Amino acid sequence: MLKAFLAVAEAGSVSSAAEQLGYSQPGLSHRIQTLERELGCVLFRRRGNGMTLTREGQMLLPYARMTVAMMRDVNQAIAEFRDLRLAARNAQERNAQDRNSPDRNSPDRNEPRD
């Protein structure tokens, strides 16, 4: 919902923000209304040609930006961690396969037995 709030705040209208986010205009309006209901305040002044932030909306703006940025960082860190775990698991599987396969250069394989 904070991404929706930021998009509307930056675009100045629900229709422009909805287009940028790939949402329907009613769907984005609903998200904003839900956020306003959860916070117990009005975040935007609705005008015929767009929307402007109320004082409460202006107060929320820097926190919303920080929260969205932190969530992006957390998602990136988790993705990197998953990539590292996958790489480690693949390396372990390759090592296990190498240990279980006959060594092509072993003396037993290259020299005839008596």
Side-chain angles (χ1 to χ4, degrees):
M1 279 192 256
L2 290 177
K3 283 184 184 180
F5 167 77
L6 289 175
V8 174
E10 291 167 4
S13 77
V14 174
S15 58
S16 295
E19 188 175 321
Q20 290 172 7
L21 295 172
Y23 294 159
S24 68
Q25 186 174 346
L28 185 55
S29 291
H30 179 73
R31 284 176 179 255
I32 296 299
Q33 290 168 355
T34 300
L35 181 60
E36 289 177 327
R37 202 170 32 256
E38 285 181 5
L39 295 175
C41 63
V42 175
L43 298 170
F44 293 97
R45 281 185 215 89
R46 284 128 177 106
R47 300 204 169 137
N49 60 348
M51 299 175 74
T52 59
L53 290 170
T54 62
R55 177 169 274 151
E56 292 87 350
Q58 291 171 356
M59 290 173 60
L60 176 60
L61 190 60
Y63 294 102
R65 285 184 176 139
M66 286 187 292
T67 302
V68 169
M70 285 190 293
M71 289 303 297
R72 185 177 45 245
D73 292 348
V74 166
N75 286 331
Q76 182 178 346
I78 289 171
E80 289 170 3
F81 176 73
R82 286 181 181 155
D83 289 346
L84 288 173
R85 276 188 23 195
L86 180 61
R89 187 177 321 129
N90 289 340
Q92 286 176 335
E93 288 173 4
R94 280 193 304 273
N95 287 339
Q97 288 173 353
D98 290 347
R99 282 193 302 268
N100 292 331
S101 65
D103 185 0
R104 296 177 191 263
N105 298 321
S106 72
D108 293 341
R109 194 172 170 103
N110 293 331
E111 297 178 16
R113 291 186 181 225
D114 292 330

